[in-house]
Amino acid sequence: MKSLNGFPNRRQSLTGFTADGDEIWIIRSISQKFYKCQGCYDSIEVGAEHVVVQYIGRLGGTEHSHWHQRCAEEILYPQSRSLRPVAAKESSRGNLEKRGRRPAGRRRKPR
Ligand SMILES: [Zn+2]
């Protein structure tokens, strides 16, 4: 598999699937408040670059968590399937909310 270290960045997000077949989107972000990393459970400070992981269920619905980029690279990427870079605009909040309102079979493929 091609290395995805360094992704996502400001121009490109990642998308793929969890082991359970839910869509996963991994997006570069700056924290607006204090978060706890879901990889190591340590803190992500305000203003820190990190990644937002957005899940979109097969049947619809969304949830998200915040991760240190390195924790995502080490823990999350190896558990995910078919991760690939896509243009960051594909992963806008509006686009992902819209995807979450449809079951998986009725979503258009991200470019
Ligand atoms: Zn972490």
Side-chain angles (χ1 to χ4, degrees), residues 36-44 66-72 75:
K36 186 163 280 216
C37 172
Q38 289 302 296
C40 68
Y41 302 106
D42 208 343
S43 56
I44 299 171
H66 297 262
W67 292 64
H68 294 118
Q69 172 138 5
R70 202 185 64 218
C71 294
I75 300 167

Side-chain angles (χ1 to χ4, degrees), residues 58-76:
R58 276 172 299 172
L59 302 178
T62 62
E63 55 181 275
H64 72 274
S65 59
H66 297 262
W67 292 64
H68 294 118
Q69 172 138 5
R70 202 185 64 218
C71 294
E73 288 171 355
E74 290 177 358
I75 300 167
L76 191 64

Side-chain angles (χ1 to χ4, degrees), residues 39-93:
C40 68
Y41 302 106
D42 208 343
S43 56
I44 299 171
E45 301 300 330
V46 176
E49 283 196 77
H50 70 291
V51 300
V52 174
V53 179
Q54 179 91 43
Y55 298 96
I56 304 179
R58 276 172 299 172
L59 302 178
T62 62
E63 55 181 275
H64 72 274
S65 59
H66 297 262
W67 292 64
H68 294 118
Q69 172 138 5
R70 202 185 64 218
C71 294
E73 288 171 355
E74 290 177 358
I75 300 167
L76 191 64
Y77 296 6
Q79 297 172 356
S80 304
R81 302 192 330 230
S82 311
L83 275 188
R84 63 187 177 91
V86 292
K89 65 180 193 309
E90 293 283 328
S91 63
S92 69
R93 182 186 295 252

